[in-house]
Amino acid sequence: MTTQITSTAQVRNSRNELRGSDRRSSDVCIVGDGAIAKTAALGLSQAGHSVTLLTPPRRPAAVAGEAPWDVRVYALNHTAHELLSSLKVWGALDLARVAPVDAMDVHGDGENGGQLGFDAFGAHTGTLAWIVEDSNLNAALDAALRFAQNVEVVGGRAVRLACSTDGARIELEDGSHIDAQLVVGADGRESWVRGQCDIGIDYRAYHQRAIVANFSCEKPHHNVAHQWFTCKEGIIALLPLPGNQVSLVWSAPDTLADTIMNESLGELAIRLGEHADDKLGLLKPLQPEAVKALPLALVRPHAVTAPHVVLIGDAAHVVHPLAGHGMNLGFGDIVDLLEVLGAREAHHGIGDERVLARYARARKEDVLLMQLATDGLERLFSTNLEPLRVVRNLGLNLLDKLPLVKRRLIAHALGNPAGK
């Protein structure tokens, strides 16, 4: 099995391609080029480890001028915020394009749908989350990597991962290789690293696609995120962007997704108006119009470690986006990995099996709770039985009247499961 990780890469303003005779050695080799891979590279290098970041082809640089709003956005929690701030990345974001989420309004289905509200005041915090575009986050990470010490970004086609008692080696198509004490698989849901380690997965297709697009709204959103749980139409979320603008994440059944993707964004805005008109008024697609549809699935690897190998981000877990915390789980992986490696005994290397087992234990509860919560809610609200519809709406209303339980849920969403 091979994976395409090719092209040039910028390393402290220099070009760097692996040649057939090249042999590189570092403490850590990270495979991947998303925000989680880049953040891990920065975190591990600042912890004193030498890092090789093996990347796929670089996209062309954006042209000068005002960039359109990215349809891929993340609701980053306090764990992500604190990690990115500690790595000096948060301050490098274009903060004019970052929107705080001060409250969340959750709606049940049907004419008498239940309702559940969360707000920053009740959570004893300044804000619940921050909405950040994928392009904004990656631009800040790329800027930080250009000045990072002990990080080398290289390109090449990986064809084999071999591990021994001494460490791991990634062999490349041109005959070169990278030696490391620890290989970090941050290469997404179809992880090549995971496959090379023969780690099996449990896979459940939701037969849904996440439709993402951006709209202007007639009424101010007041930094409130809205979410509608419907049975036939899936789960709809409208997240606040700066100004009178919102980002749509609609987890739509495949049949409906096909219909929506064959319609104009103006027609999609009309569909959304049936849910959002009372809250946000008339919706209009942002210019230039853009929409994407991403297939949804639950992916649970049977292990997140192997000899001298650790998985993070989507390589380690893929959850339903209804709670918006898939990316936050990845940042949690990095925090726990840094903590485990930093606390290891002096006679244990960073690829030691016992050290990596501590990472697996540290992540187990948080990841399992998020998998159970997202998968359970998706199953609950996709069942079209009237008695169940009544019960789940009553459940939302009841939960809304239990402040201690709500506070516990909010604490976990913020990245503080202990509620401290």
Side-chain angles (χ1 to χ4, degrees), residues 75-294:
L76 300 185
N77 66 5
H78 286 243
T79 295
H81 180 272
E82 291 171 8
L83 175 62
L84 293 170
S85 296
S86 71
L87 299 176
K88 311 301 182 186
V89 172
W90 191 266
L93 292 169
D94 183 351
L95 295 177
R97 297 177 71 107
V98 176
V101 178
D102 295 332
M104 187 168 183
D105 200 5
V106 181
H107 311 265
D109 56 344
E111 295 181 1
N112 299 311
Q115 191 163 343
L116 175 61
F118 301 95
D119 60 66
F121 179 80
H124 305 295
T125 186
T127 189
L128 295 179
W130 295 264
I131 306 302
V132 181
E133 299 163 278
D134 177 76
S135 53
N136 191 3
L137 178 57
N138 275 282
L141 288 165
D142 288 338
L145 282 171
R146 283 195 290 271
F147 297 97
Q149 299 297 316
N150 297 324
V151 178
E152 185 175 23
V153 185
V154 298
R157 176 186 283 269
V159 295
R160 183 170 180 263
L161 171 60
C163 297
S164 67
T165 56
D166 297 327
R169 169 172 291 184
I170 294 182
E171 298 180 4
L172 307 179
E173 186 180 52
D174 63 2
S176 61
H177 61 257
I178 302 170
D179 291 325
Q181 288 299 306
L182 178 65
V183 171
V184 178
D187 49 345
R189 62 190 285 175
E190 305 293 337
S191 173
W192 173 83
V193 173
R194 190 180 66 215
Q196 286 289 297
C197 296
D198 291 326
I199 296 175
I201 62 171
D202 294 326
Y203 179 92
R204 181 192 171 208
Y206 285 116
H207 305 292
Q208 297 175 346
R209 273 171 283 166
I211 297 172
V212 291
N214 297 322
F215 299 86
S216 64
C217 49
E218 181 182 18
K219 300 177 183 179
H221 53 60
H222 301 296
N223 294 329
V224 177
H226 296 278
Q227 191 167 41
W228 290 267
F229 285 91
T230 76
C231 180
K232 295 181 179 180
E233 296 183 319
I235 302 164
I236 304 167
L238 287 172
L239 309 175
L241 295 174
N244 277 20
Q245 301 175 131
V246 291
S247 177
L248 167 70
V249 182
W250 187 338
S251 302
D254 282 338
T255 301
L256 176 60
D258 288 337
T259 300
I260 291 174
M261 293 302 293
N262 286 322
E263 295 177 343
S264 68
L265 280 185
E267 291 172 303
L268 176 55
I270 294 173
R271 285 181 179 271
L272 291 174
E274 298 176 6
H275 301 278
D277 184 63
D278 181 55
K279 303 287 184 181
L280 299 171
L282 182 66
L283 298 178
K284 294 182 179 179
L286 290 189
Q287 299 298 323
E289 294 188 3
V291 62
K292 291 183 180 178
L294 311 168

Side-chain angles (χ1 to χ4, degrees), residues 307-326:
H308 295 280
V309 175
V310 67
L311 303 178
I312 64 174
D314 282 357
H317 39 66
V318 177
V319 299
H320 196 284
L322 64 88
H325 285 296

